[in-house]
Amino acid sequence: MSVYDLRREYLNPKEFENITSPNVTHEIIDRDYQIIEEHGPTNHIDNFHFAFKNPLYSPPPHSLFHQHRMDGIYKLVKYGDIVMTTREKRTRITHPFFIAESSELFCVDDFLYDRLYINKILHYFRISVLRSGKPKPTRSSYIPVTKEYGPGYWKTIDNDYHFFLNLGVMAINRATSMGDEGRLFMSEGKDFANTLRSQIQVWSPFPQHLTDDNMKIVSERSVIRRYGDERSTMQRYLESDDAWTVSGSSWQWIPGVKDEDYEFKK
């Protein structure tokens, strides 16, 4: 466990997933730490130094002034300026933040934590990313599901056939097919050879046709993304192997993309 004052200290972007909730941080400080007041250039939290409690040492009773200063520190904990990190088992109660597959940091429960606290942590995270780059996504047995983020699948919503790009390709194909006497142009797959399209998919909650058991299995393996995120896959119309046809080949969009495509953790 480590304590950081984010106003003055650097926290690696990956460590933001290990930040404990303000209540847990407050409890751990009370239970495991003693606060020593010192003065000097190395003191980073308002002239206080955090040290693990010595079981053989009984500190003197705290003064009202000391308690006042401690209340100030706990206020900084509440609003996200002072944080504690720990790699203990992750839950929405103990660890408020999760790094999605796109390297975005998000809060696992907006109703459980103060909005000012959430925004403050996200602000410090953005600064950390600018300094060190995007972190790898969180890998955990805990599966967060919010209105914005969660497990799911890529659902095809549209195909962009790049009309103007394909006009030139079709003109070349027309000139090539003019030697095929008695055949209507665009009656065979080769007339569309090398045309392009982009298959557009959106990250969506799981489809309703999944059973509860299947949904549980897929949820545990799925990556976590923002719902509504889009991806586009460029495909080219080509003749390719096809064991289901007599000729052994057919015209297909390459690379092939499933209309419902699941993305699992690597």
Side-chain angles (χ1 to χ4, degrees), residues 18 30 57 75 82 90 100 110 113 116 121 143 157 187 197 205 219 221 229 232 245 255:
N18 296 319
D30 276 347
Y57 170 73
K75 186 175 181 179
I82 294 176
R90 185 183 307 279
D110 287 347
Y113 301 100
L116 179 61
I121 297 298
I143 305 169
I157 59 170
S187 63
R197 80 172 184 182
S219 294
R221 297 180 57 197
D229 277 357
S232 177
T245 62

Side-chain angles (χ1 to χ4, degrees), residues 54 110 185 205 214:
N54 185 342
D110 287 347
F185 182 62
N214 286 340

Side-chain angles (χ1 to χ4, degrees), residues 14 17 90 98-101 136-142 221-224 263-266:
K14 183 63 175 171
E17 69 183 16
R90 185 183 307 279
F98 199 98
I99 302 174
E101 203 68 17
K136 293 181 179 180
T138 301
R139 290 291 183 254
S140 170
S141 58
Y142 169 63
R221 297 180 57 197
S222 175
V223 301
I224 305 298
E263 184 180 357
F264 300 129
K265 302 169 188 174
K266 296 179 180 178

Side-chain angles (χ1 to χ4, degrees), residues 205-222:
F206 291 121
Q208 295 299 316
H209 62 71
L210 285 180
T211 65
D212 290 342
D213 288 342
N214 286 340
M215 189 172 295
K216 181 178 184 300
I217 293 172
V218 175
S219 294
E220 291 174 350
R221 297 180 57 197
S222 175

Side-chain angles (χ1 to χ4, degrees), residues 155-167:
K155 178 182 178 181
T156 299
I157 59 170
D158 198 5
N159 290 295
D160 181 357
Y161 285 92
H162 303 288
F163 178 77
F164 291 106
L165 286 175
N166 287 332
L167 276 179

